[in-house]
Amino acid sequence: MTQALAELLDMSNAMLWQAFAVFLRVSALVSLLPAFGEQTVPARVKLGIAFAFTIIIAPAVGAPSQAMSFDTIVWFSLTEVAAGLILGIGIRLFVLALQTAGSIAAQSTSLAQILGGAVSEPVPAMGQILVMGGLALAVMTGLHVKVAEMIILSYQMLPMGALPSGSDVSEWGVDQIRRAFSLAFTLAAPFVILSVLYNIALGVINKAMPQLMVAFVGAPVITAGGLILLCLASPLLLTTWMGALDSFIYNPLEPVP
C-alpha cells in the first residue's frame, strides 16, 4: 500500500511538473494572443484560457527531460516564457498589420480623425473596423484550435528547456516585421490607388476651373468613396489577412520568402 501511494505521488509530481512547464509557454502566448489576450479581457479570464490550453496541450507534449528543482524551475521560466513570447509576438504582428493598413487607408481617404480617440489605442475608426472584423473572423474559423496545434508543434521547433539562439530570433523577428508591413501596404493598396486617382482628378479640375473651390466639392467625394470602398473591399482584405495568418500559424518559424 505504501509503495503504491509513493508511485502515485511520484506520478502526480511528474504530471504537475509537466503541466507547469507547458503553462509557462502557454501563459506567455495567451497574454499576446489576438482576441483572447486583448487589454479589454480581464486577467482572470486570460488565466482561465491559459489553464484550458494547458489541459489540452499537456497530454500531447513529452515530459521535461530534467527533474524538478529550483534551478530547473528558474531555467524553464526563462526558456518557456521566451518561447511563448516569440510565438505570441509573431501572431500579434498580424493585428499590427491590420491597424497599419487601416491607418494608411484612413489617411488616404481623409477619414483619419473620425472617432480616432474612441478606443484605448490611437487607431482610426477604419483601422478599428478592420481589426474587429479580423479578430471576429479568426475566432469564427477556429483560432483556438489552430493555436493549440501550433503550440504542440512548436515543441519540435523550440524544444522544452532550450533557449532560442539570439541571432536566429533577431533574423526571424526582422522577417516577421517585414512581412507585417508588407501585408499592411498590400491591404491598404486599393485606398492608396483611390487617393491617387482622386488627387489627379482634383488637379485637372482645378487647372481647368481655377475659380471653383474643388476642395469643398472633392472632400465629400473622397470620404464617400473611402467608405464605399471599405464596404466592398473588406471581405477580400480580411480573407487575404486570414490566409496570411493561417500560413504563419501552420509554420511560425518558417523564413519569409
Side-chain angles (χ1 to χ4, degrees):
M1 185 67 178
T2 305
Q3 183 178 0
L5 290 176
E7 293 177 355
L8 180 61
L9 181 61
D10 294 339
M11 186 182 301
S12 301
N13 290 335
M15 293 176 60
L16 290 175
W17 171 228
Q18 178 182 358
F20 175 74
V22 173
F23 176 78
L24 291 174
R25 179 174 301 197
V26 168
S27 60
L29 173 60
V30 169
S31 65
L32 297 173
L33 190 62
F36 298 100
E38 302 297 328
Q39 294 182 356
T40 54
V41 178
R44 294 181 180 178
V45 176
K46 295 180 183 178
L47 184 61
I49 294 172
F51 277 127
F53 273 114
T54 302
I55 295 173
I56 296 172
I57 295 168
V61 177
S65 58
Q66 303 177 14
M68 183 174 58
S69 65
F70 178 77
D71 295 337
T72 55
I73 290 176
V74 173
W75 175 250
F76 272 66
S77 299
L78 174 63
T79 57
E80 295 307 299
V81 169
L85 290 177
I86 289 173
L87 298 175
I89 291 173
I91 299 180
R92 198 70 195 176
L93 285 175
F94 286 89
V95 179
L96 174 64
L98 277 180
Q99 293 176 348
T100 305
S103 298
I104 296 173
Q107 290 286 350
S108 301
T109 55
S110 301
L111 294 170
Q113 301 302 322
I114 299 179
L115 299 179
V119 294
S120 58
E121 298 180 1
V123 180
M126 190 174 291
Q128 186 68 10
I129 292 173
L130 290 176
V131 170
M132 295 301 294
L135 295 181
L137 180 62
V139 173
M140 291 173 60
T141 54
L143 177 63
H144 55 293
V145 178
K146 298 174 184 177
V147 170
E149 295 176 356
M150 182 189 70
I151 297 174
I152 294 173
L153 295 176
S154 69
Y155 285 95
Q156 300 178 4
M157 299 172 285
L158 297 171
M160 186 180 297
L163 191 65
S165 172
S167 59
D168 294 339
V169 172
S170 62
E171 182 178 356
W172 173 85
V174 171
D175 287 342
Q176 298 307 315
I177 293 174
R178 176 169 58 86
R179 173 160 61 177
F181 279 97
S182 176
L183 179 61
F185 289 129
T186 301
L187 298 179
F191 301 92
V192 176
I193 295 173
L194 175 66
S195 177
V196 171
L197 295 177
Y198 161 76
N199 285 285
I200 292 175
L202 211 64
V204 173
I205 296 174
N206 190 29
K207 189 70 174 179
M209 302 178 61
Q211 297 82 7
L212 179 64
M213 299 296 293
V214 293
F216 291 100
V217 178
V221 174
I222 188 62
T223 301
L227 294 176
I228 293 173
L229 183 60
L230 178 64
C231 294
L232 297 177
S234 292
L236 180 60
L237 299 182
L238 294 179
T239 302
T240 303
W241 176 81
M242 195 65 212
L245 178 62
D246 287 342
S247 65
F248 172 82
I249 290 177
Y250 292 143
N251 198 348
L253 298 183
E254 180 184 7
V256 180

